[in-house]
Amino acid sequence: MTSQFDTETAVTPIAPGRYAAAFGPGWVVGRAINGGLSMATATRAALAALNEPEGHQRWEPLTVAACFLTPSQQGPVELETEVLRAGRSYAAAQVSLRQPAPEPATAAPVERLRVLVTAGTLPGADVSPQRSVPAPTLPDPADCLGPRDAAADFLPGMTLMDRVDLRLDPTTASWAMGRPTGKGVLRGWLSLADGREPDPLSLIWALDALPPSSFDLGIPGWAPTIELTAHVRARPVPGPLRVEITTRTLYGELLEEDALIWDAAGRLVAQSRQLAGVRPIRTDRGTG
Amino acid sequence: MTSQFDTETAVTPIAPGRYAAAFGPGWVVGRAINGGLSMATATRAALAALNEPEGHQRWEPLTVAACFLTPSQQGPVELETEVLRAGRSYAAAQVSLRQPAPEPATAAPVERLRVLVTAGTLPGADVSPQRSVPAPTLPDPADCLGPRDAAADFLPGMTLMDRVDLRLDPTTASWAMGRPTGKGVLRGWLSLADGREPDPLSLIWALDALPPSSFDLGIPGWAPTIELTAHVRARPVPGPLRVEITTRTLYGELLEEDALIWDAAGRLVAQSRQLAGVRPIRTDRGTG
């Protein structure tokens, strides 16, 4: 059975270096498509362009740096890739992710994301890091807070929650009851709801799958991503991921959110940093 | 008096969106130009392209994500920019930094860096963060270790050391005497040697100005950067910077290096993460 994640990030070649995709009604957060899902789709296009000449899946994602230009919406997607480098150990590609202009029909497509992907070979699931950050201790998933525990008015339209099995450590979820701790940290167990096991591509998505850590600072409203750079460090083993996100710096109307992900074996497998705005920003026609 | 940094990162318009620059004999590390200097030059081109229509310096760098494709060398540089967005609060541009092919003279230029820059307005030097990371306590600069304290055979050809006034906290510099601590942390005071005060552009450079933190893990050899994303968080006040770099994860042949920079007032003003290789990599014809 093909997973929703794989179906909904699939890219189809339409010309050399160009791919089509479609953002479905799942993965909606607020009034936009989840940024992690659009990054995963762009990464899939970059890897397709890099792997195509050799006809096999040689290249895996090492880093994915994305500028968020306008919020992605449901509907068709066009991805244009440019191979920047194809060396012995490393490769790199650029992706422009665009969607048709809402109106008029003859207007140029609107760019959503511009992405730089570096690729290489990841340590396998049987490889231990020589040096790493230990996984946090989390309560048993049954003792964590899932979407069913959230206030009823918190989730309308947030279809992402149908795709995700997220269980937050209750000590980092008191903001959901109106009592943020002020620490700026959220931690929890994360899986895809249909049981699809994690791989390097789904880690790209998982780095941007939690509610913003600014909720725990008492900052209401979603924090639109301006830039997010993801690092994948190893192939994950099957099983639920442990995710920790932290905001250490808030300056004016900008904050950073750092994410760390460990696999079911407790190995650090991905990390990221994003810059996000904390001011309410229009999501209908761009964030500027 | 114009500083060496400003002279040597200057960009000259040669066509709409295209700029010329030149990497001089300073800023050499090993067999390549310092990555921070090439990132600062690319950022200068992006800001020139974004600011040009308004004729004044409205846009400042927020994030700079760079893929390092081939090592930069002394000589002429060509920068091609593409404005991705010019909104009310945020802007974004892409830069391709190229140098003439070494031979034959008719070959296409070689791309060194592909860079995504997001821009906005930074908090001023008089603004305090609402939340931040406290500056580390460092010994007086006179009690720190400068380039004159390094072994004579450590510096040949590393002309960067003539441009930089770097004073390492001795507790993080024992690797220079063959005794790495294994902590993977370097800290020190950093200024430009000619007294030029820090600004958002020089912070981009400063994030990649120290020896690699992997030296303190006992890993010999320079660690070539694969990708580096820089975040500038505020305009710095005049005076020496405090820089701390840390490697927390080493996995196979790849590590990350995180940098934090505080200004003379102790405000966190910049942060970055880079993915770097720890295997000796050829620097003459690319790193692949």
Side-chain angles (χ1 to χ4, degrees), chain A residues 62-70 82 84-85 87-90 92-94 98 111 114-118 121-124 127-133 182-185 217 226-227 229 231-235 246-256 258-260 263 267-269 271-279 281-282 286-288, chain B residues 62-70 82 84-85 87-90 92-94 98 111 114-118 121-124 127-133 182-185 217 226-227 229 231-235 246-256 258-260 263 267-269 271-279 281-282 286-288:
Chain A
L62 301 179
T63 67
V64 181
C67 277
F68 287 76
L69 303 171
T70 55
E82 179 186 353
L84 304 177
R85 172 182 174 184
R88 187 164 40 87
S89 306
Y90 303 111
Q94 173 181 288
R98 303 189 187 106
E111 186 163 9
R114 181 68 64 101
V115 184
L116 296 176
V117 176
T118 67
T121 304
L122 289 167
V127 177
S128 297
Q130 296 99 301
R131 179 184 178 78
S132 190
V133 182
K183 291 179 184 167
V185 178
L217 294 175
I226 297 168
E227 199 272 351
T229 299
H231 289 214
V232 180
R233 301 302 299 273
R235 283 174 222 147
T246 307
T247 294
R248 293 196 295 173
T249 314
L250 168 61
Y251 228 134
E253 293 163 338
L254 295 169
L255 55 79
E256 98 284 0
D258 288 357
L260 293 170
D263 69 5
R267 301 150 69 236
L268 183 76
V269 288
Q271 47 193 167
S272 69
R273 175 170 294 152
Q274 65 172 284
L275 187 72
V278 294
R279 199 168 43 160
I281 286 177
R282 291 170 303 143
T287 57
Chain B
L62 301 180
T63 66
V64 180
C67 277
F68 286 75
L69 303 171
T70 55
E82 179 187 354
L84 303 177
R85 171 180 177 186
R88 187 165 41 87
S89 306
Y90 303 111
Q94 172 181 289
R98 304 189 187 105
E111 186 164 8
R114 180 68 62 104
V115 184
L116 296 176
V117 176
T118 68
T121 303
L122 289 167
V127 176
S128 296
Q130 296 99 300
R131 179 183 177 80
S132 190
V133 182
K183 292 179 184 166
V185 178
L217 294 175
I226 295 168
E227 198 271 352
T229 299
H231 289 213
V232 180
R233 300 302 299 274
R235 284 174 220 146
T246 307
T247 293
R248 294 195 294 173
T249 314
L250 168 61
Y251 228 136
E253 293 164 338
L254 295 168
L255 55 81
E256 97 286 3
D258 288 358
L260 292 170
D263 70 4
R267 299 152 68 238
L268 183 77
V269 289
Q271 45 194 167
S272 68
R273 176 170 295 150
Q274 65 173 283
L275 187 73
V278 295
R279 199 167 44 161
I281 287 179
R282 291 171 304 142
T287 58

Side-chain angles (χ1 to χ4, degrees), chain B residues 123-246:
Chain B
D126 56 338
V127 176
S128 296
Q130 296 99 300
R131 179 183 177 80
S132 190
V133 182
T137 304
L138 292 179
D140 190 85
D143 298 325
C144 289
L145 295 173
R148 306 286 165 264
D149 302 305
D153 60 357
F154 186 68
L155 293 174
M158 202 179 307
T159 63
L160 178 67
M161 288 307 178
D162 297 331
R163 295 285 190 269
V164 177
D165 186 359
L166 171 65
R167 310 293 177 99
L168 287 178
D169 179 339
T171 66
T172 70
S174 59
W175 51 266
M177 279 74 77
R179 295 189 304 275
T181 71
K183 292 179 184 166
V185 178
L186 270 61
R187 274 189 301 269
W189 300 96
L190 179 70
S191 301
L192 285 161
D194 64 4
R196 194 251 199 215
E197 295 293 359
D199 70 0
L201 199 72
S202 75
L203 291 176
I204 302 289
W205 158 77
L207 288 162
D208 194 31
L210 268 58
S213 41
S214 49
F215 279 0
D216 190 46
L217 294 175
I219 298 170
W222 293 86
T225 305
I226 295 168
E227 198 271 352
L228 193 156
T229 299
H231 289 213
V232 180
R233 300 302 299 274
R235 284 174 220 146
V237 302
L241 302 170
R242 270 166 280 190
V243 183
E244 179 177 276
I245 61 173
T246 307

Side-chain angles (χ1 to χ4, degrees), chain A:
Chain A
M1 195 193 85
T2 305
S3 78
Q4 293 167 320
F5 177 82
D6 290 309
T7 304
E8 295 170 354
T9 59
V11 300
T12 309
I14 50 177
R18 290 181 59 214
Y19 302 85
F23 290 143
W27 314 101
V28 171
V29 178
R31 296 170 65 183
I33 295 291
N34 169 236
L37 191 88
S38 56
M39 283 184 69
T41 306
T43 305
R44 187 156 263 180
L47 297 176
L50 289 170
N51 283 317
E52 193 175 1
E54 307 195 31
H56 60 95
Q57 302 301 307
R58 171 183 174 192
W59 296 110
E60 298 174 293
L62 301 179
T63 67
V64 181
C67 277
F68 287 76
L69 303 171
T70 55
S72 292
Q73 304 296 333
Q74 288 183 50
V77 172
E78 187 182 296
L79 301 116
E80 189 171 338
T81 65
E82 179 186 353
V83 172
L84 304 177
R85 172 182 174 184
R88 187 164 40 87
S89 306
Y90 303 111
Q94 173 181 288
V95 184
S96 168
L97 189 156
R98 303 189 187 106
Q99 294 192 289
E103 54 185 45
T106 53
V110 179
E111 186 163 9
R112 303 302 190 197
L113 286 186
R114 181 68 64 101
V115 184
L116 296 176
V117 176
T118 67
T121 304
L122 289 167
D126 57 336
V127 177
S128 297
Q130 296 99 301
R131 179 184 178 78
S132 190
V133 182
T137 303
L138 291 179
D140 189 86
D143 297 326
C144 290
L145 296 173
R148 307 287 165 262
D149 301 305
D153 61 355
F154 186 67
L155 293 173
M158 202 179 304
T159 63
L160 178 66
M161 288 305 178
D162 297 331
R163 295 285 189 269
V164 177
D165 186 0
L166 172 64
R167 310 293 177 99
L168 287 177
D169 180 340
T171 66
T172 69
S174 59
W175 52 266
M177 279 72 78
R179 296 188 302 275
T181 71
K183 291 179 184 167
V185 178
L186 269 61
R187 274 189 299 269
W189 299 97
L190 180 70
S191 299
L192 285 160
D194 65 2
R196 189 240 201 228
E197 295 294 357
D199 70 0
L201 198 71
S202 75
L203 292 176
I204 303 289
W205 159 77
L207 288 162
D208 194 31
L210 267 60
S213 43
S214 49
F215 280 180
D216 190 47
L217 294 175
I219 298 170
W222 293 86
T225 305
I226 297 168
E227 199 272 351
L228 193 157
T229 299
H231 289 214
V232 180
R233 301 302 299 273
R235 283 174 222 147
V237 302
L241 302 170
R242 268 165 281 191
V243 183
E244 180 177 276
I245 60 173
T246 307
T247 294
R248 293 196 295 173
T249 314
L250 168 61
Y251 228 134
E253 293 163 338
L254 295 169
L255 55 79
E256 98 284 0
E257 179 178 293
D258 288 357
L260 293 170
I261 299 184
W262 297 264
D263 69 5
R267 301 150 69 236
L268 183 76
V269 288
Q271 47 193 167
S272 69
R273 175 170 294 152
Q274 65 172 284
L275 187 72
V278 294
R279 199 168 43 160
I281 286 177
R282 291 170 303 143
T283 55
D284 51 343
R285 300 195 55 194
T287 57

